[in-house]
Amino acid sequence: MTTVQIHIPDEIQRRYRSDHPLRRTGLALFGIGLLIFVVGATGIFSTIPLLYSLLSLGLATTGALLFIIPGITERKPGIDNDGIMFRPMLNRKSVAWLTAIVFTGFYVLLYWFPSSLEHMVVASDPLSWALRGKAADRWFLYGTLYTLAVLVMGARMLIKYRHSRYHIIRTLSVMFFQLVFAMLLPSILQLFNQPEFYFHYFWPLKYDYLFPSKITFLLENSTRLAVFMGFWAIVMAFIATPILTYFYGKRWYCSWVCGCGALAETLGDPWRQLSDKSLSAWRIERWMIHSVLVFITVVTLLLWINSATEGAVLGSFSYSFSRIYGFLIGAMFAGVIGVGFYPLMGSRVWCRFGCPQAAILGLIQRFASRFRITTNGGQCISCGNCSTYCEMGIDVRWYAQRGQDIIRASCVGCGVCSSVCPRGVLNLENGPVSERLH
Amino acid sequence: MTQTRRDPDTLHVVIIGNGVAGVTAARHIRKGSAAAITIISSESDYFYSRTALMYIYMGHMTFEQTKPYEDRFWEKNRIDLLRDHVTHIDADAKQLRLASGDSFGYDVLILATGSQPNKFGWPGQDLHGVQGLYSLQDLQRMEQYTRNIGEAVVVGGGLIGIEMAEMMHSRRIDVTFLVREESYWNNVLPPDESAMINRHILSHDIRLHLSTELEEILPDSRGRVRAVKTKTGEEIPCAFVGLTAGVHPNIGVCEGSPVTTGRGILINRYFETNIPDIYAIGDCAEFISENGTRGRIEQLWYTARMHGESVAGVILGRRAEYDRGILFNSAKFFDLEYQTYGDVPSDVRDEDSLYWEHPDGTRCIRIVMRDGVVTGFNLIGMRYRHQVCERWIHEERPLTYVLEHLGEANFDPEFSHQFEDRLIGQWNERHPDQAVHRVRRRGLRRLGTSAYRHIRENATS
């Protein structure tokens, strides 16, 4: 049997590249900023933090924005996926692998070779002093880069989906939570000598928030705010999360609030089509994500048993177990693979295969939630745009062409399937649980 | 035309054509029997979605992604796929002759050979760089022909025409769009909707030439297209011409066989041809009309799907007359989505329809009625629920009822603006004596168990 292949010649790839002067300028500035940032690793800018900060982070951010802005005039509002399948960066070609290596490499340095970033941390010093009243550390640098990525690429999302209020509002939401809840609020807490706390992260994603050491520290703290934080951590994990997920599906968190989701929905958006839609990927996904959930649950329980028995039963075993989780899941999976593999496996590798929070929310969504993606009668033409652009690897078309609602644990409710559907077939809706069409 | 009842499990069902009609038939026969099933196609190894051809060209999807089923689906469901071309049907011996030289036997034959683009004998219609768009091979040719070209012409004012214009527009090719009618697709769309699409086409820098007919296609010295000439004598230079003046049934396979054909392969309402054990479904089939008028040919995606499901029922012994139900369809013209439910004649009289258009000219709602009873909907730039519109038409609801409940039909994404109130306001202004009040906004609520049962039954698997 001969295989049918559609060959896209190189000259077409060039046609898709915009030569808008702003884009070229932007790209140049971004490159220069990045270069200066990297050169800073040698320490030559360590004595001039403000200048280093402006020339690296400032220039790169400005450049990226200039690169993005022409999108407003280049195309009319509407779905703009032209040429996505022709672009090497978005189709696992060399440049994508290179990017993945750079991303991954950064995380490896960040987690295990922090001294190599010692001088680059200086780039976020001025901001750190302004917000927290102290010098930056590597985690502050990381937070700064993360937030900048969400904001800049968030701007790109706002332009790309400017015809859709759903996307505008949810993008503004993740940008807000990243900027305020992940960046500003924890910094200000530190400025006032309060515990560093992220109100938008809960157990089990932020697993230590229910570890006995943390909870005890918060609840037995002398300040009321810390006690509130302790209660917040418990209430959110056990009460608010299930209730919100019952009413709105896991999207209230995964594509509206969560920081990992924020990065996936902004920086990761260009790679969303790379998620594997095969049945085998789905099978692997279910095994992995639920194993991680069991893992962290066991770790947490062991720590509590340990704490209750004052180490009599388990000794130091539970601690080393939690350290293994921290290394394997917290650092390796969530960071290195989760973001590093964006250009190879799509934007939701961590959310799909590893996140225990997503696992819990997914179970609620699958079995006890009012959320579903409704299929509009017989309008589906099986074109496959929905499946192609599902970042969670759901074969949406499978359900849509059978007239079934999509009720999948993994759906984060980003709404892109509904937007790219050319026939108005899909809609994210909340309604009576009993009437979801399986 | 009585067909002997046999155990379907012992049959070898052969389907010619792996489009949505043939594949749906195969899937439903498999669901209901252990019959041996073979699908023969000369187009592609696996079923792909023809409606997605444009997205491959535009770079929205790869060819792989247009396949609705993973490759292993077919083996798992014991549906054999054969890549070959049937050249002759020997109905007496129940044998097919294949282009590869082999012969292939069948017990039951389903013809699902689809369509072919129309060509009306235009001079130059077979030049290098001139083509229609229907098959994967057409797409491959289009890929070659349009490589690095600057200007193209599309002839024909239908759905494929605008698709081709959009495809080439995505690659920065200048497109001139020749439409014979005085307004785009006005044999289907009422004037307001048609005008809206005209404006939208123009806003994408497509040179839309209305009331313009093709006279001939002019070659250069190497036999490639150089320009087209219109009936008014205007010459439009171009390196590619897309011919999209509709399609006709692909019935070549019936030549030399006793299967009778008209415009398409003639079938009754059970998809039976004149020859026992040979059926025809999808685009290639023509329903024999009872009153001597032209038989109906259904060329829609969902009708093909319904044909496939229905013919499977007939073959499996659940012989039920085909009823396609209340018509619906949808399309997307560049960025404008269009949905239609029920009957919306292009020449609908003003007094028979209620029409609201957004001031920005990119959204509209039209509700059509007959004797005060709602019979159809047209939506542009908005999405409405299939089940709700269908139910209202089926239940013959009066306009005032539909207006009051219109929010129920709205299927637009959350947070999008809702315009039902504007339509109702317009109605109330003009008919203060019959003023209505909207009962509810959009959103899921109990659509009624009957509506859900209906969808369940329609869910094709």
Side-chain angles (χ1 to χ4, degrees), chain B residues 13-281:
Chain B
V13 179
V14 175
I15 301 166
I16 307 179
N18 69 348
V20 62
V23 159
T24 307
R27 283 178 42 241
H28 283 273
I29 292 169
R30 171 53 66 244
K31 267 174 59 184
S33 78
I37 302 171
T38 306
I39 304 179
I40 306 176
S41 166
S42 56
E43 186 186 8
S44 60
D45 293 337
Y46 297 100
F47 171 48
Y48 76 97
S49 180
R50 193 174 302 293
T51 49
L53 281 177
M54 67 181 291
Y55 301 114
I56 302 174
Y57 184 91
M58 293 166 72
H60 293 203
M61 299 170 67
T62 62
F63 171 68
E64 284 299 308
Q65 288 162 334
T66 68
K67 296 195 285 193
Y69 301 96
E70 283 183 52
D71 292 351
R72 64 176 179 188
F73 173 89
W74 307 101
E75 202 182 320
K76 193 181 156 220
N77 288 285
R78 288 168 293 116
I79 296 172
D80 293 335
L81 306 176
L82 178 63
R83 184 83 185 270
D84 210 325
H85 189 78
V86 178
T87 54
H88 180 73
I89 301 167
D90 184 342
D92 295 331
K94 289 196 164 183
Q95 289 280 322
L96 303 175
R97 202 177 304 145
L98 304 177
S100 61
D102 294 341
S103 278
F104 206 81
Y106 66 84
D107 299 317
V108 169
L109 181 65
I110 303 174
L111 305 172
T113 51
S115 292
Q116 280 182 328
N118 285 335
K119 288 183 172 184
F120 292 116
W122 291 297
Q125 67 181 15
D126 296 318
L127 286 171
H128 188 88
V130 182
Q131 66 165 101
L133 178 60
Y134 181 82
S135 66
L136 202 48
Q137 285 70 21
D138 289 337
L139 185 73
Q140 286 171 308
R141 275 195 300 155
M142 186 171 167
E143 189 69 62
Q144 286 167 14
Y145 285 160
T146 58
R147 194 171 295 177
N148 282 325
I149 68 166
E151 288 161 318
V153 169
V154 176
V155 181
L159 295 177
I160 307 292
I162 199 166
E163 274 184 13
M164 264 181 137
E166 186 177 351
M167 287 160 77
M168 291 189 282
H169 176 72
S170 79
R171 294 204 181 172
R172 317 283 189 263
I173 297 168
D174 288 330
V175 181
T176 305
F177 190 15
L178 305 188
V179 174
R180 189 181 59 178
E181 293 75 25
E182 57 276 16
S183 185
Y184 174 76
W185 216 32
N186 68 356
N187 55 336
V188 174
L189 296 176
D192 297 304
E193 287 91 319
S194 177
M196 184 178 287
I197 308 298
N198 289 342
R199 293 194 304 268
H200 192 68
I201 294 169
L202 288 167
S203 79
H204 280 83
D205 303 321
I206 305 295
R207 287 190 288 263
L208 176 65
H209 291 214
L210 298 169
S211 307
T212 307
E213 280 190 70
L214 177 65
E215 173 74 30
E216 65 173 312
I217 303 165
L218 306 169
D220 65 7
S221 54
R222 292 175 303 153
R224 300 175 58 107
V225 55
R226 160 174 75 78
V228 300
K229 200 163 130 193
T230 67
K231 285 240 160 95
T232 55
E234 190 191 352
E235 244 186 65
I236 304 164
C238 60
F240 177 81
V241 177
L243 296 178
T244 65
V247 293
H248 62 270
N250 177 19
I251 56 174
V253 72
C254 296
E255 270 170 40
S257 83
V259 178
T260 55
T261 57
R263 286 186 298 152
I265 302 165
L266 292 173
I267 53 166
N268 61 16
R269 294 175 68 81
Y270 302 93
F271 303 95
E272 294 158 345
T273 67
N274 60 315
I275 306 295
D277 292 329
I278 300 185
Y279 302 82
I281 54 173

Side-chain angles (χ1 to χ4, degrees), chain A residues 153-353:
Chain A
M153 291 301 277
R156 173 190 164 277
M157 283 296 280
L158 292 174
I159 293 170
K160 175 164 181 165
Y161 291 104
R162 63 193 183 281
H163 64 291
S164 160
R165 292 188 80 211
Y166 184 79
H167 293 303
I168 291 172
I169 294 171
R170 83 178 170 90
T171 304
L172 288 174
S173 172
V174 290
M175 290 164 79
F176 168 81
F177 277 100
Q178 179 58 36
L179 180 64
V180 176
F181 281 71
M183 183 89 193
L184 298 180
L185 207 51
S187 300
I188 292 165
L189 286 172
Q190 290 178 66
L191 189 65
F192 289 100
N193 284 318
Q194 299 290 332
E196 187 180 356
F197 195 82
Y198 298 85
F199 285 94
H200 68 314
Y201 283 130
F202 328 115
W203 185 92
L205 177 55
K206 195 78 178 163
Y207 45 90
D208 60 333
Y209 277 16
L210 285 192
F211 282 1
S213 51
K214 183 85 176 180
I215 282 288
T216 326
F217 166 74
L218 288 174
L219 291 181
E220 291 171 5
N221 202 287
S222 56
T223 68
R224 281 199 208 136
L225 186 59
V227 177
F228 173 73
M229 288 169 181
F231 278 111
W232 180 263
I234 295 168
V235 168
M236 287 312 291
F238 293 120
I239 300 171
T241 294
I243 291 176
L244 285 165
T245 309
Y246 169 77
F247 280 106
Y248 304 110
K250 75 200 267 190
R251 58 188 174 143
W252 76 268
Y253 190 67
C254 295
S255 61
W256 284 73
V257 173
C258 175
C260 306
L263 197 68
E265 296 295 338
T266 53
L267 179 68
D269 177 73
W271 291 293
R272 55 168 50 248
Q273 67 281 354
L274 297 177
S275 60
D276 192 332
K277 312 301 185 308
S278 67
L279 275 175
S280 22
W282 185 16
R283 196 168 302 131
I284 294 167
E285 166 193 321
R286 280 175 294 175
W287 271 105
M288 286 186 71
I289 195 168
H290 295 125
S291 304
V292 174
L293 177 60
V294 170
F295 191 177
I296 188 59
T297 309
V298 170
V299 165
T300 310
L301 286 175
L302 287 179
L303 285 171
W304 277 102
I305 292 170
N306 198 53
S307 157
T309 59
E310 288 170 355
V313 179
L314 298 157
S316 64
F317 171 74
S318 57
Y319 292 111
S320 49
F321 207 48
S322 88
R323 269 196 300 277
I324 293 172
Y325 182 88
F327 173 79
L328 277 183
I329 309 298
M332 276 292 281
F333 206 153
V336 181
I337 297 173
V339 179
F341 284 18
Y342 271 14
L344 303 177
M345 294 175 70
S347 51
R348 288 280 191 172
V349 177
W350 159 248
C351 314
R352 184 181 173 193
F353 295 99

